[in-house]
Amino acid sequence: GGQVVALLCPTQLLAAQHEQSISDFAARLQGESSWNIRVELLTGNVVGASRHDLLKRLETAQDNDAVFLIGTHALTTPDIAERLKQLPAVTAGNTKGGLA
């Protein structure tokens, strides 16, 4: 599949701010890149069908997909963390490391 990077934020507000700024950056890059750049937001407020759809998009990412997954503690729940174990992780406001 594609390349996914997860960004763990300590608050929903910070996650939303990062989602907006990275989305703006990705939009500028999209026209100059062969990558299909997507930005996804996963917080505790993303539940039910929305959460399921987001996970499905991650699982079906194509080779030319570059996905920035930005979230809060929701990234560390067992069902999500299991899917993300093989991904690189960057933490915002936390120097203790990634998800694994």
Side-chain angles (χ1 to χ4, degrees), residues 1-4 35-36 38 40 54-67 87:
Q3 301 297 313
V4 180
W35 288 88
N36 176 29
R38 296 192 336 244
E40 301 280 2
L54 185 147
L55 293 176
K56 193 66 167 170
R57 288 192 301 275
L58 291 176
E59 291 171 359
T60 60
Q62 301 299 307
D63 286 341
N64 68 328
D65 287 342
V67 181
L87 301 177

Side-chain angles (χ1 to χ4, degrees), residues 7 9 12-26 39-42 68-71:
L7 176 63
C9 301
Q12 289 187 16
L13 177 62
L14 187 57
Q17 289 171 339
H18 282 311
E19 188 243 354
Q20 182 60 55
S21 62
I22 293 173
S23 292
D24 292 345
F25 176 72
V39 181
E40 301 280 2
L41 179 65
L42 180 61
F68 291 89
L69 178 60
I70 302 162

Side-chain angles (χ1 to χ4, degrees), residues 33-55:
S33 174
S34 61
W35 288 88
N36 176 29
I37 303 170
R38 296 192 336 244
V39 181
E40 301 280 2
L41 179 65
L42 180 61
T43 66
N45 291 338
V46 180
V47 296
S50 295
R51 183 182 175 108
H52 174 76
D53 292 347
L54 185 147
L55 293 176

